[in-house]
Amino acid sequence: MLLNKGFSKESQNNMTLIDMKKRTLKIASPGRINLIGEHIDYNDGFVLPAAIDKCIYFTLRANGSENRCTIKSKGFDSILVLDLKSFEKGTEGWHNYVLGVIYEIQSLTDKVAGFDCEIESKVPVGSGVSSSAALECGLAYGLNELFDLGLDKWQLILIGQLAEHNFVGTKCGIMDQFASVMGKKDHMLLLDCRSLEYEEIPIAIAPYRLLLLNTNVAHNLSTGEYNVRRAQCAEGLELLAKRFQIEKSFRNVIPEMLVQTREELGETLYDRCSYVVEETNRVLEVVKALKNNDLETVGALMYQTHEGLSKKYEVSCPELDFLVDFSKNEPQVLGARMMGGGFGGCTLNIIHEDVIDQFVQKATAAYQEAFDIELTSFETVPSQGTSLIRE
């Protein structure tokens, strides 16, 4: 694998606050898809994400003050005003992602001064393509550029993750922020979540496309149950490590260990842990299949992942299961699965370009009849990560 940890940004030294006030930066920060490797980034697994062509756009400028910041969100039609020297957690959901990023940056540097920021999102919220990571990473990237903070890309990734841990309360892994920052056009990113080594995997699937079907539901279990799953995996791993005298990492767990301890683990912990071990292996199988241009195997493994997420990890929902099952009736869909944290959001489908419109029409009608909810869809492609698009 390629080891790419050190990224140094070009700095503009000796820039005064007056100089910075003249600058207006525009940043594009993408959402992400994950082809396979769900819920194992916080379990030392491998993941295979990519940045997508749906972004949150940030317009930033220093306003000349020492501490006053104004952040406006077009999508939520609200304004957050804060004092850099004194702020607490916010009351609106999107506020805490912003406040968390600023808090984490201030723990590393005192160079941030007053600024104004306008945010416009083209990333579908609640669809499982991680609009939250796009928000965190875009703001961190923009402030790094605006105030010449000298933070490298891995620091920006960790700032986004810690913001979510400490201000939002979701103990997420590293995958979403990593994909948003490190994305490369026409590539998936194979990330080893234990070592943080990664490899850029070219993906050329024409005449197939990546299609997302959005359930347009977001069941309230998402954040709390996410943390529950993480705790359950940690509990199961603790038992396995003690029983077999291994280092506490799922990478050291083999299926035979799970079989031997099934009764001790109990059915729930057994299911959680066996899913993690199986999914880690599936990711590596998908990478091998992509390198061999074997999309049929990729699709079959995606279906296996959904089955594991639905039955063993229990983070799916009736709407997601319905859409995955529906896709199996279309021979030109090679594979489908739920994507993201679960309990709503999107299914990811690999589908032949010739049948996309017809498939979406049929799926929309069937979904409307089953749930009385409108289905929405969009295509996407692996794209560039967070970047400066205008100064």
Side-chain angles (χ1 to χ4, degrees):
M1 290 186 183
L2 302 175
L3 180 58
N4 285 308
K5 288 192 179 180
F7 285 80
S8 298
K9 65 179 285 294
E10 294 181 2
S11 67
Q12 299 176 359
N13 295 323
N14 302 318
M15 179 174 285
T16 66
L17 195 58
I18 294 174
D19 292 330
M20 286 189 288
K21 190 176 179 182
K22 297 176 182 177
R23 301 177 77 200
T24 297
L25 306 183
K26 189 160 186 178
I27 307 295
S29 187
R32 64 98 189 95
I33 56 170
N34 185 31
L35 190 61
I36 200 161
E38 211 68 80
H39 279 281
I40 58 171
D41 57 339
Y42 55 83
N43 283 312
D44 284 348
F46 296 97
V47 292
L48 195 63
I52 61 173
D53 58 342
K54 305 290 187 291
C55 295
I56 297 179
Y57 297 94
F58 301 76
T59 303
L60 296 106
R61 64 185 65 83
N63 59 28
S65 72
E66 290 187 4
N67 302 311
R68 189 176 188 276
C69 301
T70 303
I71 299 100
K72 180 180 180 181
S73 169
K74 284 187 175 181
F76 290 103
D77 195 26
S78 62
I79 298 176
L80 170 63
V81 180
L82 66 102
D83 184 333
L84 288 173
K85 290 188 175 180
S86 177
F87 64 88
E88 299 177 349
K89 291 184 180 180
T91 55
E92 289 193 43
W94 72 271
H95 288 183
N96 282 325
Y97 296 99
V98 169
L99 294 170
V101 166
I102 294 171
Y103 175 85
E104 298 300 335
I105 288 178
Q106 287 188 309
S107 71
L108 299 175
T109 177
D110 60 0
K111 285 186 175 183
V112 176
F115 67 90
D116 299 326
C117 176
E118 187 172 89
I119 302 169
E120 182 176 13
S121 179
K122 301 297 183 182
V123 179
V125 176
S127 59
V129 294
S130 202
S131 58
S132 58
L135 177 58
E136 295 151 3
C137 295
L139 181 60
Y141 189 103
L143 294 177
N144 189 43
E145 291 286 335
L146 184 62
F147 293 108
D148 189 32
L149 304 181
L151 302 173
D152 67 38
K153 287 190 176 182
W154 276 105
Q155 287 175 296
L156 300 180
I157 290 166
L158 291 171
I159 284 167
Q161 183 192 32
L162 289 172
E164 201 141 339
H165 284 200
N166 298 328
F167 263 68
V168 180
T170 301
K171 301 299 183 182
C172 63
I174 200 73
M175 177 185 69
D176 294 350
Q177 293 80 9
F178 166 81
S180 187
V181 172
M182 297 294 201
K184 182 177 180 180
K185 190 175 187 295
D186 298 326
H187 287 73
M188 308 304 296
L189 302 173
L190 174 62
L191 174 66
D192 181 336
C193 295
R194 181 169 63 171
S195 69
L196 299 186
E197 294 180 359
Y198 70 94
E199 182 180 358
E200 297 168 346
I201 308 294
I203 180 169
I205 63 172
Y208 290 88
R209 302 280 186 87
L210 297 172
L211 172 71
L212 287 93
L213 300 179
N214 193 346
T215 62
N216 289 307
V217 299
H219 295 290
N220 293 328
L221 295 169
S222 54
T223 299
E225 288 296 314
Y226 186 104
N227 293 339
V228 167
R229 295 301 180 279
R230 185 164 188 156
Q232 289 170 335
C233 289
E235 183 182 351
L237 182 59
E238 180 79 28
L239 187 153
L240 290 162
K242 287 181 178 178
R243 168 72 182 273
F244 295 102
Q245 295 298 297
I246 57 173
E247 182 186 351
K248 199 184 299 183
S249 171
F250 274 108
R251 299 280 279 280
N252 299 318
V253 178
I254 59 175
E256 289 78 5
M257 293 177 181
L258 293 166
V259 172
Q260 292 178 40
T261 55
R262 184 166 189 160
E263 189 172 333
E264 294 172 65
L265 286 166
E267 204 61 28
T268 297
L269 294 187
Y270 171 82
D271 282 346
R272 305 297 189 256
C273 293
S274 61
Y275 167 77
V276 170
V277 173
E278 292 163 0
E279 182 73 350
T280 298
N281 292 330
R282 275 193 290 264
V283 174
L284 298 180
E285 291 181 49
V286 164
V287 170
K288 182 179 178 180
L290 284 176
K291 290 179 177 180
N292 291 329
N293 199 31
D294 181 3
L295 294 182
E296 287 78 11
T297 293
V298 173
L301 290 166
M302 288 173 65
Y303 280 127
Q304 289 180 27
T305 289
H306 184 81
E307 183 72 10
L309 288 166
S310 179
K311 300 298 190 292
K312 287 191 170 184
Y313 220 68
E314 296 182 286
V315 291
S316 188
C317 62
E319 295 88 349
L320 288 167
D321 290 342
F322 176 87
L323 290 175
V324 171
D325 288 340
F326 186 86
S327 74
K328 295 175 182 177
N329 298 321
E330 174 54 67
Q332 298 281 39
V333 176
L334 298 184
R337 70 174 191 85
M338 61 150 281
M339 192 186 68
F343 307 106
C346 287
T347 63
L348 175 65
N349 304 259
I350 298 181
I351 182 172
H352 197 285
E353 61 188 9
D354 290 346
V355 301
I356 290 176
D357 291 343
Q358 179 185 5
F359 175 72
V360 168
Q361 288 175 8
K362 290 193 297 184
T364 299
Y367 187 72
Q368 181 77 42
E369 182 177 354
F371 298 102
D372 196 25
I373 300 171
E374 183 179 357
L375 185 72
T376 53
S377 65
F378 60 95
E379 295 177 49
T380 193
V381 293
S383 301
Q384 184 64 34
T386 305
S387 57
L388 176 67
I389 59 174
R390 189 172 70 232
E391 180 170 357

